[in-house]
Amino acid sequence: MLLWLFEVTAPDDKLRVSFLDVGQGDAILIQKGDQQVLIDGGPSPQKIGLELGEKMPFWDRTIEMVVLTHPSADHVTGLVEVLNRYNVEQVLYPDLAYVSGIYDEWLRLVRQKGDKYSFVRAGQQIDLGGGVLLEVLNPPRPLLVGTESDIDNNGIVLRLSMGEISFLLTADTMWEAELELVHSRAKLNSTILKVGHHGSDTSTTPQFLVVVNPSIAVISVGSDNEYGHPADGVIKRLEETIGVGNIYCTIDDGTIEFITDGERMW
């Protein structure tokens, strides 16, 4: 029975990207071979624990890389649980001045456990092997200042690619960061767009959508949230750009997983 369980949970050579259903927050799990990259952890320790238990083999207690895009509670809270429950080999996050109880606890755990950690900025690239590349597009040098929310706009934006398939992971960046990315001629064109800021009307501007030119959009958001996410205007723009049937939302679909070999996608 154990041999059978190992067979059905053993990794293959495909890239798997799962937008985890963690409520009003972000958590994205990237799996390639026997390695995992977790981007953000959502607002709930319980939910991230359950989601990772569903996606990772029961015998695998190591996450090769954890990325915190920015220190807001709906992104960092679940990562405290991740650091306590898993062996995390590397931690990446932006160098932002921010004070909160949960963020301070996360930083303390990162340093206490001796995890290898480093700051990231636009221009860095991470080769995950097997033709999978993770490119850092944001935060810029120097950091954006005087925006509607500097913490959100200086969050980590990543472009994940394998062959002809790519994912643009925009964290909670808003229109100011989108404009900066467009003006800096960042490599934005992507197959799948993780819609910024949970579908808030502060993000996903028409100009940004034109440059990204996605085929599919994913919105990570919680039901009955107090912010009214996703905004009607954002949904309308997406429908006009990619069509109603190509918009996925964790409210309706739960965890959304894409599997690709670099040419096809499921």
Side-chain angles (χ1 to χ4, degrees):
M1 188 176 193
L2 287 174
L3 287 173
W4 176 81
L5 282 171
F6 179 82
E7 286 293 330
V8 299
T9 58
D12 55 30
D13 61 352
K14 295 182 176 64
L15 172 66
R16 286 172 161 77
V17 181
S18 300
F19 297 87
L20 304 178
D21 182 14
V22 291
Q24 181 65 17
D26 273 10
I28 303 164
L29 180 65
I30 299 168
Q31 296 171 285
K32 180 67 170 69
D34 59 355
Q35 66 176 336
Q36 292 94 21
V37 176
L38 178 63
I39 302 170
D40 292 330
S44 167
Q46 294 77 23
K47 285 187 176 180
I48 190 65
L50 289 171
E51 289 292 325
L52 291 177
E54 290 287 330
K55 291 297 179 184
M56 292 176 60
F58 72 94
W59 41 264
D60 188 353
R61 307 304 297 173
T62 297
I63 297 177
E64 280 67 25
M65 183 183 297
V66 163
V67 180
L68 174 64
T69 61
H70 64 293
S72 295
D74 58 334
H75 293 249
V76 70
T77 302
L79 291 184
V80 172
E81 176 71 4
V82 169
L83 290 179
N84 281 321
R85 291 184 57 180
Y86 290 89
N87 171 36
V88 176
E89 293 187 346
Q90 187 173 11
V91 175
L92 304 179
Y93 59 103
D95 184 14
L96 302 177
Y98 188 79
V99 178
S100 77
I102 192 65
Y103 182 54
D104 291 346
E105 173 66 8
W106 185 79
L107 288 176
R108 185 190 67 79
L109 280 173
V110 168
R111 289 155 185 169
Q112 173 187 304
K113 291 176 172 292
D115 298 320
K116 181 180 178 183
Y117 61 90
S118 57
F119 300 133
V120 293
R121 289 283 181 89
Q124 293 175 274
Q125 296 187 351
I126 303 164
D127 188 347
L128 298 180
V132 179
L133 184 66
L134 199 57
E135 301 171 85
V136 181
L137 307 184
N138 201 65
R141 301 171 183 267
L143 295 174
L144 297 174
V145 294
T147 69
E148 187 173 343
S149 172
D150 291 348
I151 291 297
D152 289 330
N153 281 309
N154 288 305
I156 297 175
V157 174
L158 299 167
R159 186 178 187 271
L160 174 71
S161 61
M162 179 181 181
E164 299 174 6
I165 305 299
S166 52
F167 300 77
L168 187 63
L169 311 175
T170 58
D172 277 5
T173 48
M174 304 162 81
W175 66 270
E176 294 105 326
E178 292 181 353
L179 189 62
E180 178 67 22
L181 287 166
V182 171
H183 284 172
S184 66
R185 299 184 181 276
K187 191 176 182 180
L188 297 173
N189 184 275
S190 300
T191 316
I192 297 98
L193 169 66
K194 199 292 291 186
V195 174
H197 211 174
H198 318 291
S200 167
D201 59 8
T202 62
S203 310
T204 321
T205 59
Q207 302 93 321
F208 188 69
L209 275 176
V210 167
V211 177
V212 178
N213 191 29
S215 299
I216 293 172
V218 175
I219 304 174
S220 183
V221 64
S223 59
D224 300 322
N225 65 85
E226 61 182 296
Y227 310 103
H229 298 159
D232 292 340
V234 171
I235 295 297
K236 183 178 180 181
R237 285 198 292 276
L238 289 170
E239 289 175 348
E240 292 172 347
T241 303
I242 62 176
V244 177
N246 293 314
I247 304 169
Y248 296 87
C249 186
T250 55
I251 289 177
D252 303 313
D253 303 303
T255 290
I256 302 153
E257 182 182 59
F258 297 91
I259 305 171
T260 181
D261 58 5
E263 295 181 0
R264 299 167 296 168
M265 186 173 64
W266 299 268

